[in-house]
Amino acid sequence: GGRDAFFDVLTVRQLQREFCLNAPWVGDLIYDKRRGQPVRLERNPKGKLKLWVPPRSETAPFFPKIKGGAAGDISAGTGVSPSVLSMFDARTGCKVLEYVDAGLYPQDFATYVAACLRMFTDENGAHPLFAWEAQYASAFRKRLMEELHYSPCFRRYDEDKLGKIRSNNGEYGWSNNTKAILALMEQYRAALYQRRIFNHSEEALDEVLQMVYTDKGVEYRSKGKLKKKDEGSGATIHHGDIVVADALAYKMITELGFEYDEEEKAIEQWPDPRTWEGREKLHEAQSRRVEDEEWA
C-alpha cells in the first residue's frame, strides 16, 4: 500500500473476496502442433490452462457460443518469465481463460494460442479478437498470422496530433509505449473498480498490486527471482505478464462493443478506502457480514 502504488490494495483485496474463485476446470489442451488446431481437453489439477467457463465437451464443439476478447504477453520461452494468454467474455465482462507458461518459444506459443482460441466461436462463427504486444514479436506474428492464418487480430492505427489516422493500413499488435501502457492501465483499473468487469483469478489480482507510478508513467515493480520456480508456469521471475494480458484482453472486448449496462448490472459502488467516509462504510459492511455469518 505504498504511496506510489497504482492500484489501491484495500480495493483489490475486496475485489478478490467478492469475485475470485478457483477455476472450475484446470487441465491441458492437446493440440496439433503443426496446424494449430485443438484436438481434446484433458483434466489435470497441475495443468497450465484455467477455465472459468467449463467445457461442454472434451472434443469439438468444446464450448457454448462465446464472444471473446483475448490477449497475449509473449516471453522468450527460456523459463525466466512466462508467456500469458487471457480472455474475457465480451457479453458478461467476466474473465473466462488464463494460461501461463514460461517454457514456450514465441513461435510455439503462437501455435498454442491459435489452437486454444479456435475452441471458441460466437454465433457468427468468429473466433475471439486477439491482441499481443508488438515489440519483439515478429516471429510470433509470422507464425500466428502467415503460417497458421489465425484471425481476427487487433490492428492499431497511429494518429497525428489532430487525431487523423496517418495510415489506412494499420499495424498488427499493440504498441507498448509510455502513454499507451498508462492509458491501458487506467482503463483497466476503472473497469475493475466500477465492477464493469470481473476477474476471477486471485493470482492475476495479486499481480496488479505490483504496478507502480514512475516518472515515466506506470510500470511493474519486479519482485525479483523467486525462491523456487513457479510450480504452474515454470517461471523464475515475475514481470507483470498476467496484468498486461488481462488489461489488453479487456481492451479487446471494448473493441468488440462491450458496454456496461447500468440497469441490468447495477452494483452499489464500493466505498473509497482512501477516505474517512469510505473506511467507515467498509467497517459497517464488515460488521454486517460478521452478524450474517453468526446468524447463519
Side-chain angles (χ1 to χ4, degrees):
R3 290 178 299 172
D4 59 348
F6 188 79
F7 288 84
D8 178 75
V9 63
L10 294 178
T11 304
V12 171
R13 294 306 184 206
Q14 182 59 36
L15 290 172
Q16 288 178 316
R17 286 192 292 270
E18 287 186 41
F19 303 117
C20 287
L21 63 153
N22 293 329
W25 194 95
V26 179
D28 300 302
L29 170 63
I30 309 303
Y31 60 102
D32 186 327
K33 296 183 179 180
R34 184 176 63 85
R35 298 186 301 119
Q37 294 288 345
V39 177
R40 68 180 183 277
L41 287 165
E42 290 186 354
R43 279 188 177 272
N44 176 7
K46 296 184 178 180
K48 296 181 174 69
L49 179 62
K50 297 179 181 179
L51 297 169
W52 284 271
V53 51
R56 66 182 183 186
S57 173
E58 294 181 350
T59 56
F62 296 90
F63 295 92
K65 300 300 181 183
I66 293 178
K67 187 177 182 181
D73 187 282
I74 307 164
S75 76
T78 57
V80 178
S81 64
S83 291
V84 178
L85 173 63
S86 176
M87 189 173 94
F88 280 78
D89 187 325
R91 293 192 178 92
T92 65
C94 294
K95 183 172 180 176
V96 296
L97 180 152
E98 181 180 284
Y99 175 81
V100 184
D101 192 344
L104 290 178
Y105 292 117
Q107 299 95 321
D108 298 328
F109 182 51
T111 306
Y112 183 89
V113 167
C116 190
L117 296 185
R118 280 170 172 162
M119 291 191 294
F120 301 90
T121 58
D122 63 15
E123 288 77 2
N124 298 318
H127 296 300
L129 175 62
F130 178 69
W132 64 90
E133 278 195 77
Q135 288 89 335
Y136 317 115
S138 58
F140 176 91
R141 185 200 63 78
K142 180 179 179 180
R143 175 63 175 160
L144 182 73
M145 297 188 65
E146 298 179 18
E147 298 177 13
L148 299 176
H149 307 290
Y150 179 84
S151 66
C153 294
F154 172 71
R155 179 180 289 184
R156 70 185 186 279
Y157 293 91
D158 296 328
E159 297 179 352
D160 59 22
K161 294 182 179 179
L162 298 177
K164 183 178 179 181
I165 295 177
R166 291 173 176 167
S167 171
N168 290 326
N169 295 325
E171 298 291 336
Y172 285 102
W174 174 74
S175 179
N176 184 356
N177 56 55
T178 302
K179 291 183 179 179
I181 188 66
L182 179 59
L184 182 73
M185 288 299 156
E186 286 178 338
Q187 294 163 3
Y188 177 54
R189 180 179 62 184
L192 285 174
Y193 283 11
Q194 296 167 14
R195 275 65 170 178
R196 287 188 280 133
I197 60 172
F198 308 99
N199 193 330
H200 301 306
S201 171
E202 186 168 4
E203 181 183 1
L205 290 184
D206 275 339
E207 273 204 1
V208 305
L209 295 176
Q210 299 300 316
M211 300 301 295
V212 298
Y213 285 106
T214 68
D215 293 339
K216 297 180 180 180
V218 60
E219 64 182 33
Y220 188 80
R221 179 172 54 202
S222 176
K223 296 179 182 178
K225 288 189 176 182
L226 305 177
K227 293 181 180 179
K228 62 179 181 178
K229 283 191 175 183
D230 183 285
E231 294 182 357
S233 68
T236 58
I237 291 181
H238 289 284
H239 282 300
D241 314 272
I242 303 177
V243 183
V244 174
D246 283 348
L248 198 50
Y250 166 64
K251 179 177 176 64
M252 291 304 98
I253 64 172
T254 63
E255 292 283 327
L256 292 170
F258 172 75
E259 293 183 359
Y260 181 62
D261 191 321
E262 296 287 349
E263 294 182 359
E264 293 184 4
K265 302 180 183 178
I267 300 176
E268 182 181 354
Q269 182 64 42
W270 193 257
D272 187 346
R274 296 169 295 182
T275 66
W276 176 265
E277 181 183 4
R279 289 192 290 272
E280 279 193 328
K281 290 183 178 179
L282 283 170
H283 178 70
E284 292 171 1
Q286 180 65 22
S287 298
R288 289 195 299 269
R289 189 179 301 109
V290 171
E291 291 176 1
D292 291 342
E293 290 175 355
E294 290 176 349
W295 277 104

